[in-house]
Amino acid sequence: MLFRSNQNYLIGKSVTDKTKLIINDIVTGFESVETLLSRKTMLLGPKDMILTLDVIFKNDVEDLTVEIDKLEAKLIEAIPYLTANKIFIEAQHGS
């Protein structure tokens, strides 16, 4: 019984479509983001997740670290069980 209830988490269950939409809306609506190339999510438990993003920031962004921190804060605000130590953003400047 315990195995069955936790099996989805052991094999890497994705977050809900609603949560994916929230993430997409935040990232693509973020002022300094040019393009969201990819988004991967995995639930680690009922209220625990990992998020990886591959993002192109606008070319005029001077400090990617500051913009990444701002983006992470917006994501955490919208998804309370997401924490900064489980967000991984591959960032690059646009052309």
Side-chain angles (χ1 to χ4, degrees), residues 7-76:
Q7 180 179 8
N8 286 333
Y9 301 117
L10 294 173
I11 58 173
K13 181 178 179 180
S14 184
V15 299
T16 65
D17 289 341
K18 180 181 177 183
T19 301
K20 290 177 189 176
L21 184 60
I22 290 169
I23 294 167
N24 284 356
D25 288 347
I26 290 170
V27 176
T28 58
F30 195 70
E31 183 181 330
S32 60
V33 168
E34 184 175 298
T35 307
L36 171 61
L37 296 174
S38 72
R39 176 214 66 235
K40 293 181 178 66
T41 61
M42 185 173 70
L43 286 175
L44 302 174
K47 296 290 180 187
D48 192 15
M49 68 178 279
I50 290 177
L51 171 63
T52 65
L53 300 170
D54 192 358
V55 178
I56 298 177
F57 284 87
K58 293 180 180 173
N59 200 33
D60 62 349
V61 171
E62 291 184 25
D63 191 343
L64 280 178
T65 304
V66 170
E67 294 305 306
I68 289 169
D69 288 345
K70 289 180 190 176
L71 180 55
E72 286 179 350
K74 282 196 169 286
L75 290 163
I76 291 167

